[in-house]
Amino acid sequence: MSFMSCWKTINLVKDYGGMRIVLTAVSLMILFFIPEYLAMQLIHPQTVQRGDHALLFAGLLVAAIIAHKILHILPMISKKKLEKKIYWLKMRTWREIPKNMMLVSLLCPFLVITPVLFYAGAAMPSFAHYFCIISSIHFGYCLPDFLFAWKLIKAPKNCFVDQEADDFDILIQK
């Protein structure tokens, strides 16, 4: 039987501050929106934008956030030791998740949802602004995932990740 010891505990709110994360996320949303919207305008320069589907926009935004949560869970489904406690699509605990699997889980929502939204905007140019806004909001929503992935990349090669509430523990075998 091997024992695990905690190499590092990560709490993004304590490490960076809640307000700093929010301000950085909003800044990233704006910086992501500008080139994405400009790209859409270059792809379809003569398109007239429609603004009469606010409920569709709200529904797509909610769907993107729900899809984000589900895409975090999908890479973990094959893991037999995973304790699944889902409350409103929020994974409350992760147990002994290998580093590489956790990295895939963290980056999966961004790598799947962003291209889908970009393609949808290119395919439906009248609604491209909606897809650009949703994609930008999703990009800002991914900031904590990027921050944690950045810290996890620096962790030892064969480490594991446990999560309780807002803390992530990086564990190594002894």
Side-chain angles (χ1 to χ4, degrees), residues 12-158:
L12 296 177
V13 174
K14 286 182 183 175
D15 292 349
Y16 296 104
M19 187 58 68
R20 180 187 240 178
I21 291 173
V22 169
L23 290 175
T24 304
V26 170
S27 298
L28 285 175
M29 289 177 201
I30 293 167
L31 290 173
F32 190 79
F33 174 79
I34 294 169
E36 185 179 24
Y37 186 73
L38 288 174
M40 290 296 173
Q41 292 301 305
L42 288 173
I43 293 170
H44 300 288
Q46 301 300 324
T47 302
V48 176
Q49 309 283 298
R50 295 182 57 188
D52 55 346
H53 289 82
L55 288 177
L56 175 65
F57 171 77
L60 288 172
L61 181 59
V62 170
I65 300 303
I66 291 170
H68 178 99
K69 297 291 186 181
I70 291 170
L71 286 169
H72 274 308
I73 296 168
L74 282 181
M76 306 287 185
I77 287 178
S78 64
K79 179 84 171 138
K80 291 182 181 178
K81 291 182 180 180
L82 180 65
E83 294 177 21
K84 297 177 189 171
K85 292 181 182 178
I86 301 174
Y87 176 74
W88 290 96
L89 295 174
K90 181 173 183 181
M91 186 63 80
R92 294 289 183 190
T93 60
W94 306 86
R95 292 282 179 237
E96 295 183 17
I97 305 299
K99 174 182 176 177
N100 290 337
M101 186 180 290
M102 189 67 182
L103 284 171
V104 169
S105 174
L106 288 168
L107 299 176
C108 186
F110 175 74
L111 296 174
V112 171
I113 293 173
T114 303
V116 167
L117 290 171
F118 187 83
Y119 177 75
M124 295 179 268
S126 295
F127 301 105
H129 58 298
Y130 288 153
F131 291 110
C132 289
I133 293 168
I134 294 167
S135 180
S136 300
I137 291 170
H138 182 259
F139 184 72
Y141 190 72
C142 289
L143 177 64
D145 298 338
F146 297 146
L147 291 173
F148 182 62
W150 179 252
K151 290 191 177 255
L152 190 58
I153 287 170
K154 297 176 183 178
K157 184 178 179 182
N158 295 320

